[in-house]
Amino acid sequence: AETEASSSFETGADESSADPPAEIRPLVLLLAGDADADADADGEETDASTCTHQSSANLEEKLDQAVDALQRSEEARVELSSGLGIEAAERCDSAESYQRIGSLLANALVSHTDCSVGRSTDGSKIPSEADAAILVGLARSLCRVLALSSSPETMDESASIVVEELSSKDSCVESLRALVEPLLQVARDGSAAAAKAKGGKRCVDVGPALSVLEGVVTTLIYGKSATPDEQGEWRKEMLQLLLSSTLTGGRFAPSAEVGMFCVYLSSLTQQDFDETVAPAIGLKLRANPDGALETANGLLSALIVSGSDIDLAVHIEGETKLLATGVRQLRSAKEDMRGLAVTFMVNLTVLTGGNVIAAGGAVDTVISSITEALTSAKPALALSTPEQRLCAYNILERIAAHQLDRSKEEESDDFSEDEKKVLASLTDTVLVALSQTLSKDNDPTASSAGFQSLLKWMQMEKVVGLKSKGFKSALDYLCKPVLSKKLNPAVSTDIRSRLGSLLTSSMSDDSIETIILDLFQHESKLEAALVALADNATMKHSSSRNAAQIDGLIAVFLLLTHACATSSKLAPSAAKALAAGSSIKASKSSFLYSEAMNSASSTNEVVGRILHPSIALYGKLASKNADDKGAAAKDAIVRLSDKGKPSTAAQTLAYCIINPSSSVRSSDASPLDRICSSLKKVVTYSIAGSKASDAILVALFSLVNEISEQHEAEDNVLNKTRDARTFAEPINTSYAKLPLAKGKVSPPSFRKGLDPASIRRASTMLTSSATDIDSICKALMLTHAGTTVQLTESRQREVLVTTTIQLLREKVIPLFKENDFSSLAKLLADFIVSCASSRLSAIKEDEKEPQTPGDGANMEADGLILSSMIHESAISLISSLGAIGGNFDPEFADEDDEENEPYAFAYSLCVDEISVRLASGIMSSLKAIKAISSDDVDLLRSPAGVLFVAGKAAGDSASAATSKNAAKKRGVGKKSKGDFGAGFEEEEWERQIKEEIAAKKRASAGASGKTTASLTDEEKKELARQDDKRKTLSFLVDGDLPRALSAIRALCSSEIEVGNAVLPVLSNSVVAS
């Protein structure tokens, strides 16, 4: 149908030979995104999911065809105005489809307006009744699509098409005047009175109709094409339609519907607002606040969005009494009404006639009213409940945020001197009120919101530039818990809720640092109190290492920030706690690098925010001292030992990387950005020879492997039995049916307690400054953390390949050129193949330094146990290397060409090194598997922790007999008296199976012999040997062989040229397996 319609549209037929109206329908519905219409237009059945995803270029072409058809065919326009336009508007399912249909309807309205004016027979240029009805239908369809889109951009675009296209016509004045009445008619029909007369249906066409009409009327007035009487009549009726459809027509319009009036409201004059709109708002708020508040709030918000210069100052406390209504609703028992009241009060302060702040103005009046209610002792005036105070705090915070945004806008002027005086007085009042109220507020939710409001107004104090009495009160409030002589749990809670909230606020780092410096300048005893807090944390850590000393961390960070900013000497206790990070063993480190603190970095917001900046700041401070006095690499807190072990500070940074703590408040930087900033600072200010990047990479690789292995072990235990799964995650029986979740509910990597994106980004950044081949190998592996070989054709794979090429070109190849190229390539291949095809790494980490209990490494006697995440990362790296190497042709390309170096290196690594090692590994695994005896198989299948006795099969006969009896019973097919049919037989069969399984378990226990509790010393040694052998067999059968085959599959499927090149090397081993 679409093909026929398109061909007929392109014939250039004139108005008299217009196409049949039925031909426009599939094209219009296609533009609306309707799948069935798409199938009809294509003339064949198509999958609905495919139909809805047309290319942008194709849809633009279809739009041009439809516009051309509507311009030439009046019958098509009649069809569009008679219901097709409304149907298309209601079928739109995206912003783009609304935009297309809006443009189509706007062009149709322009075309028919021009035609109707041009063929007027009486010379009046007034459309006939039939043309007027068509114009009303097209206008209503256009308004409907604009209303349903809820997009000011779509409304502006469609209105511009109507006004600009008609303005360019020869009869532009007559055409514009011809549209006034149809648009007014649409607005009349959609007004509250008309909707009520039609059964009370809500109509959303009024706002778009008035907004489009506003553009038409403004153009006529600007062109002096309308008399003053006409202007007055149009404006008056438009204003009455606004009020009747929102406030006075027997219904209150929801805020979303009111928002569609924003274009019209932008032209509302101060006089119209003062004489008509404001009295109506005040009257309805006093008569029915619960119903009218949302509508009134929507009107004020629409005025703000439209950029109106309306000033509400005279209506705050005048006859309209808007402020009294808002304050009264703050005490409402309904949560939604309190929320509307908060927005309403903030809107009162924003509509100030161009944001001018004056004494006695809207901002001054509202803030004075709120602060008085917060501090008043009179029950009738005070906001006594936590919910009411929460609303007051939110109002004050949003007012401050708006004024701060004003000060940051590039186009806005700075506050005038008069405004600064008013703001200084208001800031003083607010800070005093908040400090007093928060000192008594025990509700955690309300006090948290109040504290954020306090911080906003402290920032406002910085903008104003005057340190007032209120600012000092705020500083006293922050310092008070630290200066307490007794460090009990209540004081600790106050320290974290005040100073901790300051450090985790949404303010920029520079603003937080400024407030910290003000604290030290304001309170002379603060430094001594913070030193005592750090000493107390050290003492607690020495007695118990199970709790994270967050108070001590806060104290150290404040002291460190002050020392760095003022170039003063850091307190000895804080310096000692920080310097302990240079230790290799955790037992010799301080509370800052304890296991509890490391674990808290991903769960506690305060720790996650300031732990890694503390290490970075101290590194910067130590670097300055090293330049003055000289320092050895062993003095650096982030370093790699001579035996290749990372310091505890490096391990702490690794903990911060693997799962950055997210903030509940928006900030100027994400947690990942912050950790990368700290890492960059650590590397920049590292002492020569400390190998800071290498230390962090080594620690990160070990930690990723350890954490993922722990989670995998937990998953294995969890999934061992159904009861274990149900106990860990009880089934939610409240659903009538299982909820449908589209896409991936949770990526596999996140179930392992890690953030792969953070690991990949940090590893990529650190690789550029790494120097050891071992750490670079691990970095290449970590750049693929959390990815799998299944991403071959994905966009993420493209990023991985690009990143790997960059690392090869900028880091790996230059390093290999400086050293023995072939030997380093072999080391890299050994490492990749070990991680990809082994359950137990061939690299013995314990040869570098003996492992002590509590170090957390996942060690075996023969090497490092490699988790499945490391294995998946390795085969993903192989896939990337293969994809890179496939771009190099050894027969024609020049490997000495600098541009070809990464591709030639990857090709050689995959074909000459990795493939050979994988083939050798497969053959070794097969040889070991062939040597497994039947007793080894029985041992592998036996339960761990129970002594296995080879060759003893007691219970086998009993089990067989039980199975035989069960089979006999199940084989009875005759029905006898009392037989209840197939359902009863099935139930009896399940009962017998359960008895059979229980008998097998009892027989197995008897065959195995003794449990651990009844073993002799010799038997215990034998049990330990059996457990070791069982693990070795498991690593071989369930680990090495399947992993090696997975690695081969990844290498062969990475790129066809690489796959063909490695087939001769790998074919024999794969066939043998």
Side-chain angles (χ1 to χ4, degrees):
E2 182 189 328
T3 305
E4 296 173 2
S6 300
S7 61
S8 60
F9 292 156
E10 295 169 358
T11 58
D14 57 13
E15 195 77 36
S16 61
S17 60
D19 304 309
E23 296 178 350
I24 193 67
R25 180 181 178 83
L27 198 55
V28 172
L29 296 183
L30 170 65
L31 294 171
D34 187 81
D36 295 334
D38 191 6
D40 293 340
D42 288 339
E44 58 183 5
E45 294 185 2
T46 315
D47 182 68
S49 62
T50 306
C51 296
T52 56
H53 296 287
Q54 297 286 329
S55 66
S56 299
N58 186 33
L59 288 173
E60 289 298 324
E61 182 181 350
K62 302 297 183 187
L63 177 59
D64 292 338
Q65 292 179 7
V67 170
D68 182 63
L70 290 168
Q71 288 175 346
R72 292 184 289 103
S73 172
E74 181 173 351
E75 293 187 25
R77 295 196 296 271
V78 172
E79 173 77 5
L80 197 63
S81 68
S82 302
L84 177 59
I86 298 292
E87 182 181 356
E90 293 174 348
R91 291 197 182 190
C92 290
D93 57 1
S94 66
E96 292 77 13
S97 59
Y98 282 117
Q99 192 174 15
R100 289 192 297 268
I101 297 300
S103 176
L104 180 71
L105 289 167
N107 280 285
L109 186 61
V110 169
S111 297
H112 200 78
T113 303
D114 186 47
C115 290
S116 62
V117 170
R119 65 187 175 200
S120 177
T121 57
D122 56 2
S124 62
K125 302 292 184 180
I126 299 176
S128 64
E129 292 185 5
D131 285 333
I134 296 173
L135 290 176
V136 170
L138 291 173
R140 180 175 290 109
S141 300
L142 175 61
C143 294
R144 184 64 54 84
V145 74
L146 297 180
L148 295 178
S149 72
S150 301
S151 170
E153 292 79 10
T154 303
M155 185 182 298
D156 287 340
E157 182 180 346
S158 300
S160 298
I161 291 175
V162 172
V163 174
E164 292 175 5
E165 289 294 326
L166 288 179
S167 299
S168 64
K169 304 293 183 181
D170 294 335
S171 56
C172 59
V173 174
E174 291 80 4
S175 297
L176 289 170
R177 294 176 68 89
L179 264 186
V180 173
E181 185 59 29
L183 288 170
L184 280 174
Q185 187 60 47
V186 172
R188 294 187 194 111
D189 293 342
S191 66
K196 187 175 181 180
K198 295 176 182 177
K201 295 181 180 180
R202 293 173 56 182
C203 185
V204 295
D205 300 338
V206 186
L210 294 183
S211 295
V212 175
L213 180 58
E214 175 59 33
V216 174
V217 171
T218 301
T219 304
L220 288 171
I221 295 174
Y222 182 78
K224 298 181 180 180
S225 302
T227 65
D229 292 340
E230 288 176 325
Q231 297 176 27
E233 291 179 4
W234 291 339
R235 292 291 189 193
K236 182 178 179 181
E237 184 172 5
M238 291 167 69
L239 190 58
Q240 292 302 322
L241 286 170
L242 164 69
L243 295 177
S244 63
S245 60
T246 55
L247 279 171
T248 62
R251 62 181 282 267
F252 296 112
S255 57
E257 186 178 327
V258 177
M260 299 308 296
F261 288 87
C262 62
V263 175
Y264 165 67
L265 290 172
S266 64
S267 64
L268 195 66
T269 64
Q270 184 72 46
Q271 182 180 358
D272 288 340
F273 183 83
D274 292 340
E275 295 178 357
T276 308
V277 178
I281 291 175
L283 179 65
K284 292 300 179 180
L285 284 176
R286 291 192 296 273
N288 187 1
D290 288 356
L293 184 58
E294 181 182 0
T295 304
N297 207 20
L299 287 170
L300 298 184
S301 298
L303 284 168
I304 294 171
V305 171
S306 68
S308 174
D309 289 334
I310 297 295
D311 189 357
L312 288 175
V314 296
H315 304 288
I316 298 295
E317 292 185 317
E319 295 181 1
T320 315
K321 298 179 181 179
L322 298 180
L323 177 62
T325 301
V327 173
R328 190 181 306 116
Q329 292 306 311
L330 290 178
R331 298 184 174 90
S332 173
K334 300 177 181 179
E335 183 179 358
D336 57 339
M337 293 304 298
R338 293 196 302 272
L340 287 172
V342 169
T343 307
F344 182 75
M345 297 286 282
V346 174
N347 286 339
L348 294 181
T349 66
V350 176
L351 279 174
T352 57
N355 286 325
V356 178
I357 302 174
V363 178
D364 188 2
T365 306
V366 171
I367 289 177
S368 299
S369 175
I370 295 298
T371 53
E372 182 181 357
L374 278 174
T375 57
S376 178
K378 298 179 181 179
L381 298 177
L383 299 174
S384 55
T385 67
E387 293 78 14
Q388 295 172 4
R389 293 194 299 274
L390 174 64
C391 292
Y393 295 147
N394 289 335
I395 292 171
L396 293 175
E397 181 184 5
R398 290 172 62 176
I399 293 174
H402 174 70
Q403 299 302 330
L404 288 172
D405 290 340
R406 269 191 62 198
S407 66
K408 296 175 183 177
E409 291 177 359
E410 296 180 0
E411 299 178 357
S412 65
D413 298 329
D414 293 335
F415 294 113
S416 65
E417 292 301 323
D418 292 337
E419 286 182 311
K420 285 185 177 180
K421 290 180 181 179
V422 176
L423 279 175
S425 175
L426 291 175
T427 303
D428 186 30
T429 302
V430 172
L431 289 176
V432 170
L434 288 175
S435 300
Q436 293 177 0
T437 307
L438 287 172
S439 299
K440 304 173 184 177
D441 200 333
N442 296 322
D443 184 77
T445 304
S447 59
S448 177
F451 187 82
Q452 297 306 314
S453 179
L454 181 78
L455 293 180
K456 288 290 184 184
W457 283 98
M458 292 180 77
Q459 286 181 271
M460 181 62 67
E461 182 81 13
K462 295 295 181 181
V463 174
V464 175
L466 300 173
K467 291 187 178 180
S468 61
K469 176 185 175 182
F471 190 76
K472 295 178 181 178
S473 299
L475 294 177
D476 286 335
Y477 173 77
L478 290 173
C479 292
K480 185 177 179 181
V482 181
L483 301 175
S484 178
K485 295 181 180 180
K486 295 182 179 180
L487 297 176
N488 52 42
V491 172
S492 178
T493 301
D494 286 341
I495 291 173
R496 299 181 190 187
S497 64
R498 299 185 189 186
L499 293 176
S501 297
L502 166 66
L503 300 176
T504 59
S505 67
S506 59
M507 293 191 300
S508 65
D509 292 341
D510 292 339
S511 299
I512 294 175
E513 180 181 322
T514 302
I515 293 178
I516 291 174
L517 296 179
D518 288 334
L519 288 172
F520 279 91
Q521 186 178 0
H522 171 71
E523 181 55 64
S524 58
K525 298 180 181 179
L526 180 61
E527 183 172 1
L530 292 173
V531 170
L533 202 60
D535 292 338
N536 184 62
T538 301
M539 183 179 64
K540 287 183 177 179
H541 176 69
S542 61
S543 60
S544 175
R545 298 172 179 263
N546 296 327
Q549 303 300 324
I550 301 177
D551 299 345
L553 174 62
I554 293 173
V556 169
F557 182 77
L558 294 177
L559 291 168
L560 186 58
T561 301
H562 178 255
C564 290
T566 60
S567 299
S568 57
K569 186 178 180 181
L570 182 62
S573 57
K576 182 180 179 181
L578 287 162
S582 63
S583 173
I584 302 300
K585 295 183 179 181
S587 58
K588 296 183 179 180
S589 191
S590 67
F591 65 90
L592 293 175
Y593 313 105
S594 65
E595 184 178 350
M597 189 71 77
N598 291 338
S599 300
S601 64
S602 61
T603 57
N604 186 279
E605 188 179 359
V606 177
V607 178
R609 182 72 175 265
I610 67 175
L611 181 56
H612 56 83
S614 299
I615 298 174
L617 281 175
Y618 183 73
K620 181 179 179 180
L621 189 65
S623 176
K624 292 181 178 179
N625 295 333
D627 294 338
D628 297 336
K629 301 178 182 180
K634 65 178 181 179
D635 297 325
I637 61 171
V638 182
R639 68 184 184 91
L640 194 69
S641 71
D642 296 336
K643 295 184 178 181
K645 295 293 292 183
S647 63
T648 53
Q651 295 173 27
T652 296
L653 287 175
Y655 271 98
C656 295
I657 292 171
I658 62 168
N659 202 357
S661 175
S662 58
S663 176
V664 296
R665 306 176 186 90
S666 60
S667 176
D668 59 339
S670 67
L672 183 52
D673 291 334
R674 291 182 180 278
I675 182 64
C676 288
S677 176
S678 295
L679 293 175
K680 185 176 180 180
K681 191 177 295 183
V682 167
V683 173
T684 302
Y685 294 100
S686 60
I687 298 175
S690 61
K691 298 182 179 180
S693 297
D694 299 276
I696 300 171
L697 287 170
V698 171
L700 184 58
F701 180 86
S702 177
L703 186 61
V704 168
N705 181 61
E706 176 189 345
I707 297 296
S708 57
E709 178 67 19
Q710 288 176 0
H711 278 261
E712 289 161 17
E714 292 172 2
D715 287 344
N716 290 336
V717 173
L718 176 64
N719 295 313
K720 193 171 185 178
T721 63
R722 181 181 181 87
D723 291 340
R725 291 193 298 272
T726 305
F727 178 78
E729 189 174 355
I731 298 174
N732 188 352
T733 58
S734 62
Y735 290 107
K737 61 180 181 179
L738 291 176
L740 177 63
K742 296 182 178 180
K744 293 183 178 179
V745 178
S746 61
S749 300
F750 281 99
R751 295 202 301 268
K752 298 173 184 176
L754 304 169
D755 183 355
S758 177
I759 296 169
R760 292 196 298 269
R761 182 176 170 185
S763 302
T764 303
M765 187 186 72
L766 291 169
T767 306
S768 60
S769 52
T771 57
D772 285 0
I773 182 61
D774 176 60
S775 58
I776 292 176
C777 291
K778 292 178 177 178
L780 285 173
M781 198 69 60
L782 292 172
T783 57
H784 288 69
T787 64
T788 66
V789 74
Q790 297 175 357
L791 301 171
T792 304
E793 302 297 333
S794 71
R795 184 167 52 185
Q796 188 181 48
R797 175 61 61 192
E798 295 178 6
V799 175
L800 293 173
V801 169
T802 303
T803 302
T804 306
I805 292 174
Q806 181 181 357
L807 293 178
L808 291 177
R809 188 189 303 277
E810 298 178 0
K811 191 65 188 179
V812 177
I813 295 176
L815 179 65
F816 282 20
K817 286 182 178 180
E818 295 173 3
N819 301 277
D820 185 355
F821 192 96
S822 59
S823 62
L824 291 181
K826 291 178 180 179
L827 288 175
L828 178 58
D830 285 339
F831 183 80
I832 294 174
V833 171
S834 176
C835 293
S837 62
S838 301
R839 185 70 171 93
L840 195 65
S841 173
I843 302 174
K844 297 183 180 180
E845 295 277 336
D846 59 332
E847 288 181 355
K848 297 179 179 178
E849 183 165 322
Q851 204 70 27
T852 58
D855 281 359
N858 196 21
M859 298 298 300
E860 284 289 314
D862 296 327
L864 184 71
I865 298 177
L866 298 174
S867 67
S868 62
M869 183 175 183
I870 295 295
H871 160 67
E872 291 169 357
S873 303
I875 62 173
S876 180
L877 175 59
I878 290 175
S879 183
S880 294
L881 290 172
I884 297 169
N887 292 305
F888 178 77
D889 189 343
E891 294 184 6
F892 301 101
D894 182 8
E895 62 180 344
D896 295 328
D897 186 356
E898 186 175 346
E899 290 297 323
N900 290 334
E901 284 183 344
Y903 308 101
F905 177 83
Y907 183 88
S908 174
L909 191 66
C910 292
V911 176
D912 299 334
E913 304 292 344
I914 293 178
S915 62
V916 175
R917 286 162 175 77
L918 287 175
S920 176
I922 286 284
M923 299 308 294
S924 299
S925 297
L926 290 175
K927 183 178 179 180
I929 289 175
K930 289 178 181 179
I932 295 177
S933 64
S934 59
D935 288 342
D936 291 335
V937 174
D938 293 338
L939 174 63
L940 178 62
R941 293 176 177 176
S942 65
V946 178
L947 185 63
F948 173 75
V949 180
K952 192 171 183 179
D956 288 351
S957 58
S959 176
T962 306
S963 300
K964 186 175 180 181
N965 293 334
K968 282 184 177 181
K969 293 178 181 178
R970 290 195 300 270
V972 177
K974 297 180 180 180
K975 297 183 72 173
S976 58
K977 185 177 181 180
D979 187 10
F980 297 97
F984 180 81
E985 290 180 357
E986 191 72 21
E987 183 176 342
E988 177 66 11
W989 176 76
E990 290 180 359
R991 183 186 64 79
Q992 293 171 359
I993 288 295
K994 289 180 181 179
E995 292 179 355
E996 179 181 342
I997 292 173
K1000 284 184 177 181
K1001 288 183 177 180
R1002 290 192 297 270
S1004 177
S1008 299
K1010 303 177 181 179
T1011 61
T1012 307
S1014 60
L1015 293 178
T1016 64
D1017 292 340
E1018 291 297 327
E1019 289 174 332
K1020 288 180 179 179
K1021 292 180 181 180
E1022 177 62 18
L1023 177 61
R1025 188 194 66 78
Q1026 289 181 359
D1027 287 340
D1028 291 340
K1029 188 172 184 180
R1030 184 184 295 108
K1031 184 178 293 186
T1032 302
L1033 293 171
S1034 175
F1035 285 174
L1036 176 62
V1037 176
D1038 300 327
D1040 293 354
L1041 183 59
R1043 287 190 176 191
L1045 292 172
S1046 298
I1048 291 174
R1049 184 185 301 113
L1051 180 61
C1052 293
S1053 61
S1054 60
E1055 215 281 334
I1056 189 170
E1057 296 296 335
V1058 173
N1060 290 337
V1062 300
L1063 277 180
V1065 180
L1066 296 171
S1067 57
N1068 291 334
S1069 58
V1070 173
V1071 171
S1073 64

